[in-house]
Every structure is written in C-alpha cells, then in structure tokens.
C-alpha cells in the first residue's frame, strides 16, 4: 500500500528566511537541507536520491522518468526543503484541473496555511510559502520585471517545479514552458519533471546554456513493470515474445497475412463488453479504456448494458457518494450515465462538466469505479492510475488527417497502468481495429520515446512585454535563446565544424602565402604567358630559317632569332626574379587556387547557415512591423499607451483584442452584452453541427459588425508579413449563450438551447471570464469597460462555471 510522507512541521523554522540576520548583524548560517529519510517513511529510488543530491549541489534538474515512477516526489522534497529553510517554492502545472488537484493534495500534506493557488480566475493565499499555479501564470509573473531580475512576486522563491515539462511539445501552449525557462532568474532552481523523452540530454544541456548548471536525472525504471496484451474477437493474448536477437517482438501467433485493399476482409474490433468481461475474469480491473472520440466514450457506457462490476460492500460506499453529489450539484448530473456509474462504469472526456468529471475521478481513485472510458486527455497528468489501460485504436484523426499514434502518445497512455504499492504488474491491452493490428501494437510497445521539439513562437504579447523592459538588441538575444534555436544550432554543428575547418585551413594558407597578394600571382602569370608567346614566335622564326635557301636571308633570319632569344631570356630573368617564383612558383599558384576554392565554399556555407539562425527573430520582427502599422510601437521600438494595453492582455491574439477594446465600439454595452461581445472575439468556430438558439442582442451584434473593417485591416497586415499563426476570431453564433448566462438564465435552459457539449460550454464561459478578469487590470481602457468587466464577472461566476474546491 502507499505510505504517505510524514506530516510537515515548521516548528521554530517558520518564517525564517536566508536574508535574516543574527542579533550581532552577521548573516545567519545556511540551514542545511533536510534529510529525505526524515521526511519519507519509505526507501527512495536511486534516481530520486540523485535528483535530491543535485538540488543540494545548487543545480537545477531535469527528471525524466516513466509515468507513475515517482518523479513527483522530487518536487515534493523541494517543497519540504523550502519550508524548512524559510523560503518559498512555486509548483506549476499545465492544466487548471491538475493545479486544483495538486492544491488539494498539498493542503493535506503541508497544511492549508502553507499552500496557495493561482489559476487566473482563482487566487487563494497567493503569498503562501508553496504556491500552485498554471505555467502561464508563472510566465506572466516573469514578464513583470526585466528578464533575469527577481521581481517582488518572486522574492524568496528558492525553486520552481515545472511539472509535466514535456508539454513543451504542445503546439498551442509549448512556448510558455520555453519562455518560463528562458526568463526565470538564474538564482532560482528549476525542477523540470518530464515523461520519458528521446532527447532529455539536449533539454538539460539547453537549460544549462540559458539558465544555469542543470543536471539530467534520466531513469527508465518502472516500480510496476508493464505487461502488454492484444485483444481481438478471439480473446486476450500476450502481445510480445522474445525474438532471436533477445529483443521483444510481436507474438508469432498474432501475426496475420492481410489482403491489401480488401475492405470486406478487414478484422472487426472486439466487443467492448467482451474485453471488459475478460479483464474482470482475469482480475485486471480497474481499467482506463482509451477511446479517441467523445461520442465513442459515451456510447461505450451504453454498450456495457446491465453489466455490474461492483460488489455489495463497494456498493455501500459508492451509492451514498453519488446521492450526495446529486443533491449538491443537480445541474452537473449526467442522467444518461447515472445508472452505469452506480454499477462502477463511467465515461470521462472534455465534453462533460468539470464537476461530473471530478466525481468520476474521485470514485475511480477510491476503486469504486472499475472501468472509465476516456479520451486521451485523461493521460495528461490527472492522478488516476489503474491496474490496466486499454487502447481501443492505434490511430486517430487529427487536423492533418488520420495517423498512427506516436510512441510517446502510446507510452503516455500505457503509463497509467500499474499502481505503485498496489499492483505487482500493470497491464496494457491494445485492441484490434479495422486498420491496425498486433504488428502495429508491437511496434509501438517496443519503440523508444519521441524527442522533445520546440514550439517557441513569438506573439504580440511577447513582443511588447520584452520591448517594455529591453532594447531590440536584447530582445533578439532572448528570442535566440529558445530551445528551437538551440536544436537548430545542434543540427548545424557539422556545418559549423566544416566552417571552422575551412577558416583554419585558410589561415594556414595565408601564413604560407605570406605577403603575396593575388595581384602578385596574376603578374607572374602574365609574365609566364608572355614567355610562352615569345617562345612560340621563336619557333616560327626557326622554322622559316630552315625553309629559306638564300644566304642573305639566312643571315637576316639568324639575327631575328638571336634578338628573339634575348627577349625570351629577359622575360625568363624577370620570371626568376619575381617574388612569387622565388617563394615557390607553381606551388604558390596552387596554394592560391586552393584558397580561392575554400573561400567560395565558405561563402556558400555562410549563406546556408544564415537564414536558419534568424527564423524566430524574423517572426518577431514581422509582429513588430504589424504593431508599428497600428501605432502600437514607436520608432524607437517603445510601446505606445495602446501597446501597453496589448502587453497587459493574454490570449490567442492580444492585438486583435486590444484593437476591439480601444475602438470605442464596446464602451456603451451593458455588462452582459460586453461578456457576449468578448466571447465572440475569443472563440473559434464551434464543432461541426453545433449551434445555439440563444442569439446576441442587437447592441453587441452591432458593435461586432462595426469591428469588421478593423478585422479586415488586421488580416491584411498579418498576411502581408506571413503571420498566419495568430487567429483573428469573431464568432457571434455561440456568443449569445454567454450573454444570456450573464443575464441569469439557468444552466438547464442554457444547456437545452445549444448542441454544444456541456464541457465545451463551460470552457467558453471560463475563457470569457479569463479575459474579463484581465480587462480591469489593463491600463488606458475606458472606465466604463473596466467597470462592466468587473460587474459581469460576479454575474457569470456561478456553478457549474465556478470551481468547486
């Protein structure tokens, strides 16, 4: 069973900081790091001890280990250490839900008075010693002061834990992790906790380069080993067996000869109920069953029929919790799945309300839900380990088409199997699908992790926040410190080495050639050409002399030949006295030819290297030009008052939001109308087929319509500079839902008025609330807009939009 760490006691250390002084005026000695054995009542794994030792050596650390291996313990130790030494620590996560979960866990572990929470729309005990926050909040704190300086918000912070650091791979949000690492003051230790990645050494080396000494702690140890199986209509079978080379390969009994192009012979996936029943028979529950669509997860619950996975004793614990939830949060009940939940079966995906998902998570953690049909978002950090994970399909649909899962995606889902302290083996079951079978499953199960890539992309907010505090030259240096730039520099190492070798050889040639110039060599070559020409003339004269029979002409010819020979001798003498000839003659010429060839090659290599090094900086400059077009940057690259508004905002396109807020078109809207307009400005087009019967009222609709010219102008400005990654949303079709919610429409009416999933509806409300929270803090905005934004926050922030802590 899991043994909790010992309760933390601050005792006499509470409130002590390293800056405090002894009564005699001398600085207090550094409080030693706490002994892990005094904190954790179990033996730590070698990689955990190695990471703790690195922290003691004042190094930052990158801890790469499989999901469920215990890398979070390193972050917990950093909290214990900071509290014991009177310092502060930040714990960042990629998801608000994960931040909320960590906050609850740490309150129980360290005491609620020691722990705070910041997630944008929630602020609890923000000055606490240990503050949990989303990574975006931490990045925004760093924007508040010149990069590298410790601002007031970071005073006394000893360490920052970047949980789920492999989120750097996320296309939309990965840049936040890079910015956090680049901008974090060097005096603060960084503790990057990541799932297994192929290039962990590059991540640690980059952090050493841009932040400070960083030690890599890389472990492939799993406390609970995984066992892979394959599910087909014939049953459940071992997926792997030892191969001839000692490596694990696909079980030979699962290898089939397919018929290319024959759709009628494609295998059928196994029945979900059959797979779950086999898991129950083999005591492989509880399980997470990954299905890559929301509809598929909900349909799977119905396909379980009347299957009951709960025993009488478990039922006595389960049912009262469900009834209590239904009483407290009737709006969040999934009536179509309530009966299945009572039988230990549930679905979990982004379309469900957060409160319902929280109930499912809590019941699963207690072992009262035996199977959860979930989308892959459940694999991203939420603490829901299971004995078994089932992966229904080895491919999924993406924006770029249908593709096979990556090795890291497969590993992330597989890693949820095996509960430390509860299971001796974790089971991973890959299911047959019409398109993939055992061969693809075996390939993914035996593949290494994918590498971490950079998603660093400049935004308007980044540009203006950097230029508020730094010169353009300094901003360039900061942009060029991205992980992507570092990887590009590594890719260019062979090219750079070749350039170094070329320059070295050119220097050696210059030494050999001394003061001789190219003009010197050319003058020698002219003399040699002249010598050849004089020799040609001499041969012609000698030939003519042989052909002449007249003695008088013969005598004349001999005189001409003698004169020509003298010319040749004179030229020959000039050649022999020439400095190039004296330095080596032909050898010098060959050295010069070699130098010219090397110079041409070096010029080509410089051209190849140049554009790559400036890629992200060119993106930065493109945004600078757009901002200058709209008057948001001065000629000296200092933000104007309008630019300061952009710098204070966070979103997909901060410039578009600022243009709308400063246009004057939103000033006279009532608070609910302002909320509806903001929702339209930050919302992408809803899922296909989604609609709402609740429309915007006329004032916000007319205000949005008046912004269309400004929107077209921004479209043109961005397109002219090839800025395609920053969207310019305007989606009034679903914004009426936000306005009506702000006016007080109840949740049941709202939900019945749209085809949006409830989870998507909550997300729309929360994104709108997030922007509304930013507006009062932004400078230079109209007082009416700020007042309306503050007022409507209170009108919107009610259950199920508000968080249930």
């Amino acid at each position: 069973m899991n043994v909790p760490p010992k309760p933390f006691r601050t005792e006499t250390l509470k409130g002590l900081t390293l800056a405090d002084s002894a009564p005699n005026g001398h600085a207090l000695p550094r409080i030693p790091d706490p002994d892990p054995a005094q904190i954790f009542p179990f033996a730590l794994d070698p990689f955990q001890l190695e990471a703790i030792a690195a922290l003691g050596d004042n190094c930052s650390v990158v801890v790469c280990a499989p999901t469920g291996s215990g890398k979070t313990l390193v972050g917990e130790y950093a909290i214990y250490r900071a509290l014991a030494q009177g310092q502060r620590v930040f714990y960042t996560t990629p998801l608000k839900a994960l931040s909320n979960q960590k906050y609850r866990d740490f309150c129980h572990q360290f005491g609620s008075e020691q722990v705070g929470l910041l997630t944008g729309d929630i602020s609890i005990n923000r000055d606490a010693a240990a503050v949990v926050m989303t990574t975006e909040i931490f990045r925004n704190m760093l924007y508040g002061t010149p990069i590298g300086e410790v601002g007031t918000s970071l005073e006394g912070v000893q360490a920052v834990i970047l949980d789920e650091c492999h989120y750097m791979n996320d296309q939309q949000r990965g840049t936040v992790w890079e910015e956090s690492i680049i901008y974090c003051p060097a005096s603060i230790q960084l503790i990057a906790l990541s799932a297994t990645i192929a290039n962990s050494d590059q991540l640690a080396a980059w952090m050493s380069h841009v932040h400070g000494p960083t030690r890599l702690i890389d472990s492939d140890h799993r406390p609970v080993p995984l066992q892979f199986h394959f599910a087909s209509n014939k049953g459940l079978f071992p997926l792997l067996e030892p191969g001839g080379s000692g490596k694990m390969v696909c079980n030979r009994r699962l290898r089939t000869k397919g018929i290319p192009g024959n759709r009628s012979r494609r295998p059928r996936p196994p029945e979900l109920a059959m797979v779950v029943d086999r898991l129950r028979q083999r005591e492989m529950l509880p399980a997470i069953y990954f299905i890559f669509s929301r509809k598929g997860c909900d349909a799977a619950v119905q396909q379980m029929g009347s299957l009951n996975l709960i025993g009488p004793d478990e039922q006595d614990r389960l049912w009262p919790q469900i009834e209590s939830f239904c009483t407290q949060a009737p709006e969040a009940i999934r009536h179509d799945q309530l009966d299945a939940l009572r039988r230990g079966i549930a679905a979990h995906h982004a379309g469900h309300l957060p409160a319902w998902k929280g109930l499912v998570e809590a019941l699963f953690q207690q072992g009262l839900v035996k199977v959860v049909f979930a989308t892959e978002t459940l694999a991203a950090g939420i603490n829901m380990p299971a004995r078994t994970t089932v992966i229904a399909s080895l491919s999924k649909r993406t924006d770029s088409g249908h593709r096979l899962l990556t090795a890291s995606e497969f590993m992330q889902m597989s890693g949820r199997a095996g509960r430390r302290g509860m299971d001796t083996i974790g089971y991973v079951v890959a299911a047959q699908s019409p398109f993939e079978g055992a061969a693809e499953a075996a390939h993914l199960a035996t593949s290494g992790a994918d590498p971490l890539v950079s998603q660093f992309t400049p935004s308007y907010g980044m540009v203006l926040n950097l230029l508020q505090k730094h010169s353009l030259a300094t901003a360039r240096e900061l942009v060029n410190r991205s992980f992507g730039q570092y990887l590009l520099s590594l890719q260019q190492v062979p090219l750079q080495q070749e350039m170094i070798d070329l320059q070295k050889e050119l220097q050696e040639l210059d030494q050999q050639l001394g003061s001789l110039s190219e003009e010197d060599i050319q003058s020698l070559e002219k003399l040699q050409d002249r010598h050849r020409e004089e020799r040609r003339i001499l041969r012609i004269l000698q030939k003519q002399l042989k052909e002449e029979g007249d003695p008088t002409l013969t005598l004349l010819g001999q005189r001409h030949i003698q004169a020509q020979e003298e010319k040749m001798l004179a030229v020959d003498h000039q050649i022999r006295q020439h400095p190039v000839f004296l330095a080596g003659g032909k050898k010098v010429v060959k050295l010069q030819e070699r130098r010219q060839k090397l110079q041409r090659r070096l010029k080509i290599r410089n051209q190849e290297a140049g554009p790559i090094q400036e890629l992200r900086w060119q993106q930065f400059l493109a945004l600078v030009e757009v901002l200058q077009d709209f008057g948001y940057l001065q000629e000296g690259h200092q933000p104007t008052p309008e630019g300061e508004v952009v710098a204070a905002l966070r979103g997909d396109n901060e410039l578009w939001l600022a243009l709308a807020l400063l246009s004057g078109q939103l000033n006279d809207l009532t608070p609910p109308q302002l909320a509806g307009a903001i929702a339209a400005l930050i919302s992408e087009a809803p899922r296909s087929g989604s609609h709402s019967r609740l429309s915007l009222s006329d004032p916000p609709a007319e205000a949005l319509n008046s912004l269309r010219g400004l929107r077209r102008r921004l479209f043109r400005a961005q397109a002219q500079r090839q800025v395609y990654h920053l969207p310019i949303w305007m989606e009034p079709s679903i914004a009426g839902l936000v306005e009506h919610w702000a006016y007080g429409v109840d949740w049941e009416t709202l939900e019945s008025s749209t085809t949006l999933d409830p989870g998507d509806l909550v997300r729309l409300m929360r994104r709108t609330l997030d922007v509304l929270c930013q507006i009062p803090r932004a400078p230079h905005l109209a007082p009416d807009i700020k007042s309306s934004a503050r007022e409507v926050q209170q009108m919107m922030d009610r259950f199920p939009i508000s968080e249930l802590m």
Side-chain angles (χ1 to χ4, degrees), residues 34 44 91 101 112 239 245 260 283 304 451 456 461 547 553 566 592 681 706 777 779 790:
L44 270 58
Y91 195 107
Q101 183 183 78
S112 59
L239 175 64
S245 60
E283 298 184 347
M304 292 298 100
F456 186 88
E547 295 173 352
L553 293 176
E566 290 173 356
Q592 175 62 18
L681 296 172
S706 67
R777 299 193 294 265
R790 275 191 291 265

PDB file of all heavy atoms in Angstrom, residues 34 44 91 101 112 239 245 260 283 304 451 456 461 547 553 566 592 681 706 777 779 790:
ATOM      1  N   PRO A  34      17.057  19.300   4.479  1.00  0.00           N
ATOM      2  CA  PRO A  34      16.508  18.204   5.287  1.00  0.00           C
ATOM      3  C   PRO A  34      16.882  16.845   4.710  1.00  0.00           C
ATOM      4  O   PRO A  34      17.089  16.694   3.506  1.00  0.00           O
ATOM      5  CB  PRO A  34      14.998  18.439   5.212  1.00  0.00           C
ATOM      6  CG  PRO A  34      14.786  19.269   3.988  1.00  0.00           C
ATOM      7  CD  PRO A  34      16.014  20.100   3.833  1.00  0.00           C
ATOM      8  N   LEU A  44      13.790   5.538  -0.887  1.00  0.00           N
ATOM      9  CA  LEU A  44      13.673   6.237  -2.165  1.00  0.00           C
ATOM     10  C   LEU A  44      14.437   5.481  -3.242  1.00  0.00           C
ATOM     11  O   LEU A  44      15.416   4.774  -2.959  1.00  0.00           O
ATOM     12  CB  LEU A  44      14.208   7.664  -2.056  1.00  0.00           C
ATOM     13  CG  LEU A  44      13.190   8.742  -1.653  1.00  0.00           C
ATOM     14  CD1 LEU A  44      12.545   8.422  -0.307  1.00  0.00           C
ATOM     15  CD2 LEU A  44      13.836  10.119  -1.616  1.00  0.00           C
ATOM     16  N   TYR A  91       4.925  25.647  -7.671  1.00  0.00           N
ATOM     17  CA  TYR A  91       4.690  24.362  -8.344  1.00  0.00           C
ATOM     18  C   TYR A  91       3.759  24.629  -9.515  1.00  0.00           C
ATOM     19  O   TYR A  91       2.598  24.983  -9.335  1.00  0.00           O
ATOM     20  CB  TYR A  91       4.050  23.360  -7.374  1.00  0.00           C
ATOM     21  CG  TYR A  91       4.094  21.924  -7.853  1.00  0.00           C
ATOM     22  CD1 TYR A  91       4.958  21.004  -7.277  1.00  0.00           C
ATOM     23  CD2 TYR A  91       3.264  21.482  -8.890  1.00  0.00           C
ATOM     24  CE1 TYR A  91       5.004  19.685  -7.705  1.00  0.00           C
ATOM     25  CE2 TYR A  91       3.306  20.181  -9.328  1.00  0.00           C
ATOM     26  CZ  TYR A  91       4.176  19.282  -8.737  1.00  0.00           C
ATOM     27  OH  TYR A  91       4.227  17.968  -9.180  1.00  0.00           O
ATOM     28  N   GLN A 101      -6.023  19.874  -8.269  1.00  0.00           N
ATOM     29  CA  GLN A 101      -5.749  18.592  -7.608  1.00  0.00           C
ATOM     30  C   GLN A 101      -4.496  18.675  -6.737  1.00  0.00           C
ATOM     31  O   GLN A 101      -4.484  18.215  -5.593  1.00  0.00           O
ATOM     32  CB  GLN A 101      -5.586  17.493  -8.662  1.00  0.00           C
ATOM     33  CG  GLN A 101      -5.381  16.108  -8.073  1.00  0.00           C
ATOM     34  CD  GLN A 101      -5.144  15.071  -9.153  1.00  0.00           C
ATOM     35  OE1 GLN A 101      -4.053  14.966  -9.706  1.00  0.00           O
ATOM     36  NE2 GLN A 101      -6.171  14.311  -9.477  1.00  0.00           N
ATOM     37  N   SER A 112      -3.027  23.769   4.989  1.00  0.00           N
ATOM     38  CA  SER A 112      -3.618  24.763   4.085  1.00  0.00           C
ATOM     39  C   SER A 112      -3.013  26.148   4.255  1.00  0.00           C
ATOM     40  O   SER A 112      -2.998  26.944   3.311  1.00  0.00           O
ATOM     41  CB  SER A 112      -5.136  24.825   4.289  1.00  0.00           C
ATOM     42  OG  SER A 112      -5.424  25.170   5.642  1.00  0.00           O
ATOM     43  N   LEU A 239       1.034  -9.940 -26.215  1.00  0.00           N
ATOM     44  CA  LEU A 239       1.400  -9.232 -27.436  1.00  0.00           C
ATOM     45  C   LEU A 239       2.824  -9.530 -27.873  1.00  0.00           C
ATOM     46  O   LEU A 239       3.099  -9.627 -29.078  1.00  0.00           O
ATOM     47  CB  LEU A 239       1.233  -7.718 -27.215  1.00  0.00           C
ATOM     48  CG  LEU A 239       1.691  -6.798 -28.344  1.00  0.00           C
ATOM     49  CD1 LEU A 239       0.858  -7.026 -29.607  1.00  0.00           C
ATOM     50  CD2 LEU A 239       1.618  -5.339 -27.913  1.00  0.00           C
ATOM     51  N   SER A 245      17.133 -12.009 -31.459  1.00  0.00           N
ATOM     52  CA  SER A 245      18.218 -11.133 -31.017  1.00  0.00           C
ATOM     53  C   SER A 245      18.107 -10.790 -29.537  1.00  0.00           C
ATOM     54  O   SER A 245      18.876  -9.992 -29.020  1.00  0.00           O
ATOM     55  CB  SER A 245      18.194  -9.841 -31.833  1.00  0.00           C
ATOM     56  OG  SER A 245      16.950  -9.169 -31.651  1.00  0.00           O
ATOM     57  N   PRO A 260      -4.242  -6.764 -48.927  1.00  0.00           N
ATOM     58  CA  PRO A 260      -4.260  -5.325 -49.211  1.00  0.00           C
ATOM     59  C   PRO A 260      -5.461  -4.927 -50.062  1.00  0.00           C
ATOM     60  O   PRO A 260      -5.781  -5.584 -51.055  1.00  0.00           O
ATOM     61  CB  PRO A 260      -2.943  -5.087 -49.950  1.00  0.00           C
ATOM     62  CG  PRO A 260      -2.070  -6.242 -49.542  1.00  0.00           C
ATOM     63  CD  PRO A 260      -3.001  -7.409 -49.363  1.00  0.00           C
ATOM     64  N   GLU A 283      -9.027 -10.538 -13.203  1.00  0.00           N
ATOM     65  CA  GLU A 283      -8.718  -9.618 -12.109  1.00  0.00           C
ATOM     66  C   GLU A 283      -7.754  -8.522 -12.559  1.00  0.00           C
ATOM     67  O   GLU A 283      -6.793  -8.183 -11.875  1.00  0.00           O
ATOM     68  CB  GLU A 283      -8.137 -10.378 -10.900  1.00  0.00           C
ATOM     69  CG  GLU A 283      -9.112 -11.377 -10.316  1.00  0.00           C
ATOM     70  CD  GLU A 283      -8.570 -12.047  -9.061  1.00  0.00           C
ATOM     71  OE1 GLU A 283      -7.351 -11.924  -8.797  1.00  0.00           O
ATOM     72  OE2 GLU A 283      -9.354 -12.685  -8.349  1.00  0.00           O
ATOM     73  N   MET A 304     -22.219  -1.327 -22.381  1.00  0.00           N
ATOM     74  CA  MET A 304     -21.987  -2.236 -21.258  1.00  0.00           C
ATOM     75  C   MET A 304     -23.279  -2.888 -20.776  1.00  0.00           C
ATOM     76  O   MET A 304     -23.244  -3.826 -19.972  1.00  0.00           O
ATOM     77  CB  MET A 304     -21.340  -1.482 -20.099  1.00  0.00           C
ATOM     78  CG  MET A 304     -19.917  -1.005 -20.369  1.00  0.00           C
ATOM     79  SD  MET A 304     -18.726  -2.342 -20.682  1.00  0.00           S
ATOM     80  CE  MET A 304     -18.661  -2.246 -22.485  1.00  0.00           C
ATOM     81  N   PRO A 451      11.317  12.507 -29.527  1.00  0.00           N
ATOM     82  CA  PRO A 451      12.092  13.629 -28.998  1.00  0.00           C
ATOM     83  C   PRO A 451      11.198  14.826 -28.697  1.00  0.00           C
ATOM     84  O   PRO A 451      10.115  14.981 -29.262  1.00  0.00           O
ATOM     85  CB  PRO A 451      13.067  13.953 -30.139  1.00  0.00           C
ATOM     86  CG  PRO A 451      12.358  13.496 -31.379  1.00  0.00           C
ATOM     87  CD  PRO A 451      11.552  12.301 -30.966  1.00  0.00           C
ATOM     88  N   PHE A 456       8.353  27.194 -29.689  1.00  0.00           N
ATOM     89  CA  PHE A 456       8.546  28.612 -29.386  1.00  0.00           C
ATOM     90  C   PHE A 456       8.075  29.471 -30.563  1.00  0.00           C
ATOM     91  O   PHE A 456       8.579  29.345 -31.669  1.00  0.00           O
ATOM     92  CB  PHE A 456      10.023  28.890 -29.105  1.00  0.00           C
ATOM     93  CG  PHE A 456      10.309  30.287 -28.637  1.00  0.00           C
ATOM     94  CD1 PHE A 456      10.256  30.603 -27.293  1.00  0.00           C
ATOM     95  CD2 PHE A 456      10.639  31.285 -29.534  1.00  0.00           C
ATOM     96  CE1 PHE A 456      10.526  31.896 -26.846  1.00  0.00           C
ATOM     97  CE2 PHE A 456      10.919  32.573 -29.112  1.00  0.00           C
ATOM     98  CZ  PHE A 456      10.856  32.880 -27.760  1.00  0.00           C
ATOM     99  N   GLY A 461       1.899  39.762 -27.432  1.00  0.00           N
ATOM    100  CA  GLY A 461       2.158  39.982 -26.020  1.00  0.00           C
ATOM    101  C   GLY A 461       3.631  39.828 -25.681  1.00  0.00           C
ATOM    102  O   GLY A 461       4.196  40.613 -24.916  1.00  0.00           O
ATOM    103  N   GLU A 547      63.577  26.789 -93.993  1.00  0.00           N
ATOM    104  CA  GLU A 547      62.954  26.732 -95.314  1.00  0.00           C
ATOM    105  C   GLU A 547      63.596  27.692 -96.309  1.00  0.00           C
ATOM    106  O   GLU A 547      63.366  27.597 -97.513  1.00  0.00           O
ATOM    107  CB  GLU A 547      61.452  27.041 -95.175  1.00  0.00           C
ATOM    108  CG  GLU A 547      60.697  25.983 -94.365  1.00  0.00           C
ATOM    109  CD  GLU A 547      59.262  26.404 -94.116  1.00  0.00           C
ATOM    110  OE1 GLU A 547      58.925  27.568 -94.449  1.00  0.00           O
ATOM    111  OE2 GLU A 547      58.469  25.594 -93.586  1.00  0.00           O
ATOM    112  N   LEU A 553      69.188  36.030 -96.805  1.00  0.00           N
ATOM    113  CA  LEU A 553      68.014  35.913 -95.939  1.00  0.00           C
ATOM    114  C   LEU A 553      68.317  35.070 -94.713  1.00  0.00           C
ATOM    115  O   LEU A 553      67.817  35.331 -93.619  1.00  0.00           O
ATOM    116  CB  LEU A 553      66.844  35.305 -96.707  1.00  0.00           C
ATOM    117  CG  LEU A 553      66.274  36.174 -97.845  1.00  0.00           C
ATOM    118  CD1 LEU A 553      65.195  35.436 -98.601  1.00  0.00           C
ATOM    119  CD2 LEU A 553      65.713  37.493 -97.284  1.00  0.00           C
ATOM    120  N   GLU A 566      67.045  36.722 -77.015  1.00  0.00           N
ATOM    121  CA  GLU A 566      67.363  37.704 -75.984  1.00  0.00           C
ATOM    122  C   GLU A 566      66.089  38.170 -75.255  1.00  0.00           C
ATOM    123  O   GLU A 566      66.087  38.393 -74.043  1.00  0.00           O
ATOM    124  CB  GLU A 566      68.116  38.876 -76.595  1.00  0.00           C
ATOM    125  CG  GLU A 566      69.523  38.535 -77.038  1.00  0.00           C
ATOM    126  CD  GLU A 566      70.200  39.670 -77.787  1.00  0.00           C
ATOM    127  OE1 GLU A 566      69.500  40.703 -78.012  1.00  0.00           O
ATOM    128  OE2 GLU A 566      71.382  39.536 -78.136  1.00  0.00           O
ATOM    129  N   GLN A 592      47.239  29.354 -53.995  1.00  0.00           N
ATOM    130  CA  GLN A 592      46.271  30.424 -54.224  1.00  0.00           C
ATOM    131  C   GLN A 592      44.980  29.874 -54.801  1.00  0.00           C
ATOM    132  O   GLN A 592      43.883  30.298 -54.424  1.00  0.00           O
ATOM    133  CB  GLN A 592      46.868  31.486 -55.152  1.00  0.00           C
ATOM    134  CG  GLN A 592      45.910  32.592 -55.561  1.00  0.00           C
ATOM    135  CD  GLN A 592      45.425  33.396 -54.367  1.00  0.00           C
ATOM    136  OE1 GLN A 592      46.029  33.346 -53.303  1.00  0.00           O
ATOM    137  NE2 GLN A 592      44.334  34.121 -54.539  1.00  0.00           N
ATOM    138  N   LEU A 681     -15.141  37.477 -29.642  1.00  0.00           N
ATOM    139  CA  LEU A 681     -13.794  37.885 -30.074  1.00  0.00           C
ATOM    140  C   LEU A 681     -12.717  36.856 -29.722  1.00  0.00           C
ATOM    141  O   LEU A 681     -11.596  36.954 -30.224  1.00  0.00           O
ATOM    142  CB  LEU A 681     -13.433  39.230 -29.431  1.00  0.00           C
ATOM    143  CG  LEU A 681     -14.291  40.426 -29.843  1.00  0.00           C
ATOM    144  CD1 LEU A 681     -13.952  41.642 -28.998  1.00  0.00           C
ATOM    145  CD2 LEU A 681     -14.109  40.743 -31.321  1.00  0.00           C
ATOM    146  N   SER A 706     -19.481  46.501 -36.464  1.00  0.00           N
ATOM    147  CA  SER A 706     -18.702  47.720 -36.731  1.00  0.00           C
ATOM    148  C   SER A 706     -17.201  47.459 -36.654  1.00  0.00           C
ATOM    149  O   SER A 706     -16.406  48.282 -37.105  1.00  0.00           O
ATOM    150  CB  SER A 706     -19.091  48.816 -35.727  1.00  0.00           C
ATOM    151  OG  SER A 706     -18.677  48.451 -34.418  1.00  0.00           O
ATOM    152  N   ARG A 777      -7.438  45.218 -15.096  1.00  0.00           N
ATOM    153  CA  ARG A 777      -6.019  45.422 -14.780  1.00  0.00           C
ATOM    154  C   ARG A 777      -5.244  46.047 -15.932  1.00  0.00           C
ATOM    155  O   ARG A 777      -4.083  46.433 -15.770  1.00  0.00           O
ATOM    156  CB  ARG A 777      -5.370  44.082 -14.392  1.00  0.00           C
ATOM    157  CG  ARG A 777      -5.995  43.435 -13.169  1.00  0.00           C
ATOM    158  CD  ARG A 777      -5.133  42.306 -12.637  1.00  0.00           C
ATOM    159  NE  ARG A 777      -5.058  41.193 -13.562  1.00  0.00           N
ATOM    160  CZ  ARG A 777      -5.856  40.125 -13.505  1.00  0.00           C
ATOM    161  NH1 ARG A 777      -6.785  40.048 -12.571  1.00  0.00           N
ATOM    162  NH2 ARG A 777      -5.730  39.141 -14.368  1.00  0.00           N
ATOM    163  N   PRO A 779      -4.094  48.906 -18.534  1.00  0.00           N
ATOM    164  CA  PRO A 779      -4.086  50.368 -18.477  1.00  0.00           C
ATOM    165  C   PRO A 779      -4.798  50.996 -19.677  1.00  0.00           C
ATOM    166  O   PRO A 779      -5.003  50.333 -20.703  1.00  0.00           O
ATOM    167  CB  PRO A 779      -2.589  50.702 -18.496  1.00  0.00           C
ATOM    168  CG  PRO A 779      -1.977  49.580 -19.292  1.00  0.00           C
ATOM    169  CD  PRO A 779      -2.782  48.356 -18.945  1.00  0.00           C
ATOM    170  N   ARG A 790     -15.747  44.154 -14.428  1.00  0.00           N
ATOM    171  CA  ARG A 790     -15.762  43.727 -13.023  1.00  0.00           C
ATOM    172  C   ARG A 790     -17.153  43.242 -12.613  1.00  0.00           C
ATOM    173  O   ARG A 790     -17.305  42.224 -11.931  1.00  0.00           O
ATOM    174  CB  ARG A 790     -15.335  44.891 -12.134  1.00  0.00           C
ATOM    175  CG  ARG A 790     -13.823  45.035 -11.972  1.00  0.00           C
ATOM    176  CD  ARG A 790     -13.478  46.038 -10.882  1.00  0.00           C
ATOM    177  NE  ARG A 790     -13.834  47.393 -11.296  1.00  0.00           N
ATOM    178  CZ  ARG A 790     -12.976  48.236 -11.862  1.00  0.00           C
ATOM    179  NH1 ARG A 790     -11.730  47.877 -12.065  1.00  0.00           N
ATOM    180  NH2 ARG A 790     -13.367  49.443 -12.223  1.00  0.00           N
TER     181      ARG A 790
END
